[in-house]
């Protein structure tokens, strides 16, 4: 048998396999999500997300230092306020939980890069992502609230803002208010392609952001649609998004691929709470090798076309990269 072409030749040893890898990752591409709450002395594990915690401001520096030591250089902050109202006014308050978390973090661990989630759902009494008109979210009334929130985050020290609300036109509104206030260099990472997904369940417990009625299907995307995701991403880039995100990650690898082929900005993906919780639950049962599955799942996201990964496994992935298990 004439076998001059043998693909196995390039699989003979670790050095060679790493040399010819098509998909490469590094720690600089990882973002670690964190939840900040009011109070003192709070480092409370989130029941549906083992290994993830709520941190009060006094406990935040130690947690941020741990992230920095792992080699992860970026964090995404989510705030859970003490008080909520119908408009979510604590989202843009100068003394709001995220604003104070930024001040604390920048002072304690200035070497980290601080990204903030810009949305209203954690701050509204009804749990929806904007101002209401009856039981519907009023898109256009919500835009100035999101813009005001983003500006307050940047004024408090955010290096990047990441609107996750899925209101039409919010990137343009945020870009405009940042530019008008002299923050022309602050980038926007838009949650451009965010699906109405069942995989968000644990996050809604963590962020206390479940809607009090109805669901978010009138503004988050229908998971049957992929071409619509390209439209959303292209619109956000046109409005001034510097990066676009696909969320969730693992069930939407095809969308990541399609978006990455159409836009000319970096593409991020968010491996969400439900994905994390499923891996954790199976690992606890002994049904999977947790580390191996985490590495394989993360690689699939990069292979699909993402260049940035938000993941609750960021610190572990950084360790696996150091060990040569992934990357």
């Amino acid at each position: 048998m004439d076998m001059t072409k043998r693909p196995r030749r390039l699989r003979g040893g670790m050095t060679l396999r790493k040399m010819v890898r098509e998909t490469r990752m590094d720690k600089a591409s990882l973002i670690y999500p964190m939840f900040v709450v009011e109070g003192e002395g709070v480092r409370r594990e989130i029941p549906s997300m083992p290994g993830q915690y709520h941190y009060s401001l006094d406990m935040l520096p130690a947690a941020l230092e741990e992230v920095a030591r792992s080699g992860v250089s970026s964090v995404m902050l989510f705030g859970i306020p003490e008080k909520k109202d119908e408009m979510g006014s604590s989202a843009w308050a100068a003394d709001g939980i995220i604003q104070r978390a930024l001040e604390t973090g920048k002072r304690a661990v200035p070497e980290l890069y601080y990204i903030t989630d810009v949305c209203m759902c954690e701050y509204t009494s009804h749990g929806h992502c904007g101002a209401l008109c009856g039981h519907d979210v009023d898109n256009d009334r919500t835009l100035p609230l999101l813009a005001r929130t983003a500006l307050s985050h940047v004024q408090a020290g955010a290096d990047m803002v990441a609107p996750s609300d899925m209101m039409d036109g919010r990137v343009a509104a945020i870009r405009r208010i940042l530019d008008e206030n002299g923050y022309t260099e602050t980038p926007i990472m838009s949650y451009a392609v965010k699906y109405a997904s069942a995989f968000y369940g644990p996050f809604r417990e963590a962020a206390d952001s479940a809607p009090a009625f109805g669901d978010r299907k009138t503004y988050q995307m229908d998971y049957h649609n992929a071409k619509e995701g390209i439209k959303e991403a292209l619109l956000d880039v046109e409005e001034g998004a510097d990066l676009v995100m696909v969320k969730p990650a693992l069930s939407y690898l095809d969308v990541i691929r399609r978006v990455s082929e159409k836009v000319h900005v970096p593409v991020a993906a968010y491996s969400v709470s439900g994905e994390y919780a499923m891996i954790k639950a199976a690992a606890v049962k002994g049904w999977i090798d947790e580390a191996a599955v985490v590495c394989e799942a993360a690689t699939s996201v990069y292979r699909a076309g993402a260049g940035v990964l938000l993941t609750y496994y960021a610190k572990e992935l950084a360790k696996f990269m150091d060990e040569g298990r992934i990357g």
Side-chain angles (χ1 to χ4, degrees):
M1 184 187 306
D2 182 15
M3 293 180 61
T4 57
K5 296 179 180 178
R6 293 176 178 266
R8 286 184 58 186
R9 289 192 192 108
L10 297 181
R11 303 172 194 160
M14 178 57 72
T15 300
L16 182 56
R17 289 197 297 273
K18 292 178 73 173
M19 180 192 301
V20 299
R21 275 181 181 165
E22 300 172 24
T23 303
R24 297 182 183 273
M25 299 159 274
D26 63 54
K27 290 180 282 187
S29 67
L30 298 170
I31 302 173
Y32 183 55
M34 302 180 72
F35 300 94
V36 189
V37 298
E38 302 281 2
E40 294 184 0
V42 178
R43 184 183 180 274
R44 180 174 60 242
E45 189 169 38
I46 299 166
S48 58
M49 299 175 66
Q52 305 304 310
Y53 296 84
H54 290 129
Y55 298 101
S56 55
L57 294 177
D58 58 322
M59 303 296 283
L60 185 60
L64 292 170
E65 288 167 3
E66 181 181 331
V67 175
R69 284 195 302 271
S70 76
V72 175
S73 56
S74 302
V75 294
M76 172 84 82
L77 297 180
F78 296 89
I80 299 93
E82 189 171 30
K83 296 180 180 178
K84 306 187 181 195
D85 59 36
E86 188 168 322
M87 298 299 289
S89 60
S90 62
W92 61 81
D95 61 349
I97 184 64
I98 283 295
Q99 290 78 359
R100 285 180 289 140
L102 286 164
E103 294 166 3
T104 299
K106 283 282 190 174
R107 183 172 57 251
V109 192
E111 64 268 28
L112 286 176
Y113 190 84
Y114 292 87
I115 309 167
T116 57
D117 177 79
V118 176
C119 194
M120 311 305 296
C121 61
E122 297 106 314
Y123 303 92
T124 56
S125 54
H126 47 75
H128 280 282
C129 298
L132 294 182
C133 179
H135 275 192
D136 295 321
V137 174
D138 189 322
N139 189 97
D140 294 5
R141 282 181 62 214
T142 300
L143 297 183
L145 307 183
L146 295 166
R148 188 175 179 184
T149 299
L151 177 61
S152 75
H153 288 184
V154 176
Q155 290 173 329
D159 297 301
M160 177 189 289
V161 290
S164 64
D165 53 282
M166 288 300 287
M167 298 297 115
D168 293 339
R170 89 275 204 207
V171 173
I174 291 170
R175 185 73 273 159
R176 187 179 308 114
I177 198 170
L178 293 182
D179 289 354
E180 289 172 351
N181 284 271
Y183 297 106
T184 57
E185 299 303 312
T186 301
I188 298 171
M189 176 167 63
S190 169
Y191 288 65
V193 189
K194 181 178 179 180
Y195 286 88
S197 172
F199 286 98
Y200 302 151
F203 176 92
R204 290 176 179 169
E205 176 193 357
D208 189 25
S209 63
F213 59 86
D215 53 42
R216 296 177 177 144
K217 292 180 179 178
T218 61
Y219 43 102
Q220 294 178 359
M221 287 177 54
D222 182 345
Y223 60 72
H224 296 82
N225 299 346
K227 288 189 290 186
E228 184 183 13
I230 297 170
K231 177 176 72 174
E232 289 276 10
L234 290 173
L235 281 171
D236 282 5
V237 172
E238 185 179 338
E239 291 180 16
D242 302 283
L243 303 86
V244 295
M245 185 198 299
V246 176
K247 179 183 180 183
L250 291 181
S251 291
Y252 299 88
L253 298 177
D254 62 316
V255 179
I256 295 170
R257 169 55 61 193
R258 293 192 191 196
V259 169
S260 70
E261 290 173 346
K262 291 294 184 180
V263 302
H264 299 290
V265 300
V267 175
Y270 196 153
S271 185
V272 298
S273 59
E275 297 167 13
Y276 175 86
M278 288 192 300
I279 293 173
K280 278 288 182 186
V284 167
K285 290 287 189 179
W287 294 339
I288 60 170
D289 179 333
E290 182 177 11
V293 169
V294 168
C295 290
E296 185 175 343
T299 301
S300 74
V301 177
Y302 287 95
R303 191 181 65 240
V308 178
L309 178 60
L310 287 83
T311 172
Y312 301 98
Y313 277 114
K315 291 183 290 184
E316 290 85 350
L317 283 167
K319 176 175 177 287
F320 299 149
M321 289 177 188
D322 285 338
E323 294 172 349
R325 299 182 62 169
I326 185 176

